[in-house]
Amino acid sequence: MKQASKLIRQQILALLADGQFHSGEVIAQQVGLSRTAVAGHISQLSDWGLDVFKVKGKGYRLNRPFTLLNAEHIKKHQNKNRLAVINVAPVLESTNSELKKRIANSREELANGDTVLAEIQTAGRGRHGRQWLAPVGGSLTFSMYWSFPDGYQSMTGLSLLVGVAICEALQTMGVDDAQVKWPNDIYLGHKKLAGILIEVEGQIGATAHCVIGVGLNVYVPADEFDVGQPHTDLAAVLGSEPDRNELAAKVIASLWEHLDGFAAHGFDRYVPIWESLDIFADKKIVLQMGEKRFCGVDRGVDASGALLVETEDGITRFHGGEVSLRGY
């Protein structure tokens, strides 16, 4: 998408975010385009998930107002300084894809903790290539960069560590009962609240350049959005929508803190914390791995982040891959 179109759509999004009616003529004057061109941009934003409608004689209006993400506001909510850069983009294909492009660009230097957030993802992804639904203004979607000089072997347990960091950030927002589901989901009241997608660039034996993608439901009403499984959002739990900039600040700060500790000491010290948050702790579970199906009892994880399942043959370790986990 051309930079000019990005800026125009960012302007239109900012104008509509207050939830009031804005005439096509006024919007056109603000962005310096014809009303027809404005209608085309709004149509594209609608295709990407912006819930906007038009009333003859009044103009365009969002179904609900929301506060736009703002990098400076996010930084103001943080209580520690770091050299990492926080960027907010109005529209991206996916925040993970954006960071992977930056990694591939050898002229662009990235620092641990650099973060990219997006208001709109046109092709957000979850695990195994699934689409990640992120309603405009109703979610927090971002990706963070972190490098591991010792390579892939020093990243074992990373997705679990990220889950711990998110749960601890949510506690500071008044959400005390979020839980983790191995290997990369956050649940609340046995419904999915957030997902984690970790992707790695680099050669075996060299520095692993890691992209940590997070999608968190802020306002995604279950009766309005079908995401393919039971889900919940923070607005339903807290009774009102939290400030997404404050939420972003707390989650990012928690990740910075815990990733520093993880990079220095590994996942071992976080095992008891993760197990205390495990939604299926000591419960019977079923894992589907390809054509194979395993039944047993969830006995936590080891220092590598492998799931420990007690079966008739003893403890079996599972390290991820195409694994789905369900309680029964």
Side-chain angles (χ1 to χ4, degrees):
M1 184 168 56
K2 294 181 180 179
Q3 186 64 25
S5 293
K6 286 184 179 180
L7 292 174
I8 290 165
R9 288 168 190 172
Q10 184 175 13
Q11 286 179 278
I12 293 173
L13 194 60
L15 287 169
L16 294 174
D18 63 5
Q20 302 300 310
F21 277 109
H22 296 268
S23 72
E25 183 178 356
V26 170
I27 296 175
Q29 291 173 352
Q30 292 277 350
V31 301
L33 293 175
S34 68
R35 292 175 65 178
T36 301
V38 165
H41 282 294
I42 291 177
S43 177
Q44 181 62 79
L45 288 168
S46 296
D47 289 344
W48 287 337
L50 187 68
D51 195 357
V52 60
F53 59 94
K54 184 179 180 181
V55 175
K56 190 173 182 179
K58 289 189 174 182
Y60 300 95
R61 177 185 165 184
L62 295 187
N63 184 49
R64 46 175 282 278
F66 60 86
T67 301
L68 290 167
L69 292 170
N70 182 293
E72 292 305 314
H73 292 172
I74 292 171
K75 292 171 188 173
K76 287 178 181 178
H77 282 295
Q78 293 179 324
N79 56 13
K80 50 178 71 174
N81 294 320
R82 193 182 185 101
L83 294 177
V85 176
I86 296 174
N87 293 132
V88 174
V91 183
L92 287 175
E93 179 182 289
S94 104
T95 54
N96 265 33
S97 295
E98 176 65 18
L99 269 188
K100 288 170 72 176
K101 288 177 186 176
R102 296 187 187 184
I103 291 170
N105 183 356
S106 58
R107 293 171 298 176
E108 187 166 358
E109 292 188 11
L110 291 168
N112 284 346
D114 280 0
T115 303
V116 175
L117 304 97
E119 285 288 3
I120 298 173
Q121 288 194 127
T122 61
R125 292 177 287 118
R127 288 185 77 220
H128 312 320
R130 301 186 187 99
Q131 181 183 11
W132 179 268
L133 175 68
V136 182
S139 62
L140 184 65
T141 54
F142 71 88
S143 297
M144 181 180 291
Y145 171 80
W146 208 276
S147 67
F148 293 87
D150 293 332
Y152 286 72
Q153 67 274 12
S154 61
M155 293 174 46
T156 55
L158 178 58
S159 67
L160 281 65
L161 177 280
V162 172
V164 168
I166 293 172
C167 285
E168 293 199 358
L170 290 173
Q171 289 173 7
T172 69
M173 298 289 293
V175 180
D176 296 323
D177 47 358
Q179 294 178 287
V180 292
K181 175 189 168 189
W182 186 89
N184 60 351
D185 289 329
I186 309 297
Y187 270 61
L188 200 54
H190 287 270
K191 296 179 180 179
K192 188 168 180 176
L193 177 69
I196 301 159
L197 176 63
I198 293 177
E199 298 182 283
V200 187
E201 302 289 318
Q203 303 297 319
I204 299 296
T207 296
H209 299 279
C210 186
V211 176
I212 301 165
V214 175
L216 198 160
N217 298 332
V218 178
Y219 180 82
V220 190
D223 59 347
E224 295 181 27
F225 298 94
D226 180 7
V227 303
Q229 61 180 301
H231 72 277
T232 189
D233 59 29
L234 292 180
V237 175
L238 296 173
S240 62
E241 290 184 54
D243 182 325
R244 288 191 304 146
N245 288 304
E246 180 183 3
L247 175 65
K250 291 184 180 297
V251 174
I252 290 169
S254 184
L255 283 168
W256 284 347
E257 177 182 352
H258 288 297
L259 282 164
D260 279 334
F262 175 83
H265 306 289
F267 183 65
D268 191 26
R269 62 163 58 180
Y270 296 97
V271 169
I273 303 173
W274 190 93
E275 291 183 336
S276 72
L277 299 169
D278 183 6
I279 191 171
F280 289 133
D282 298 321
K283 295 179 181 177
K284 292 181 179 180
I285 58 172
V286 176
L287 291 96
Q288 194 75 34
M289 182 177 278
E291 297 292 321
K292 297 181 179 179
R293 187 169 181 267
F294 299 88
C295 300
V297 178
D298 176 353
R299 295 303 188 194
V301 294
D302 65 16
S304 73
L307 181 68
L308 306 179
V309 181
E310 183 179 350
T311 67
E312 294 177 353
D313 300 322
I315 298 292
T316 302
R317 289 169 169 78
F318 294 89
H319 289 275
E322 298 287 331
V323 179
S324 63
L325 183 151
R326 299 285 185 273
Y328 75 94

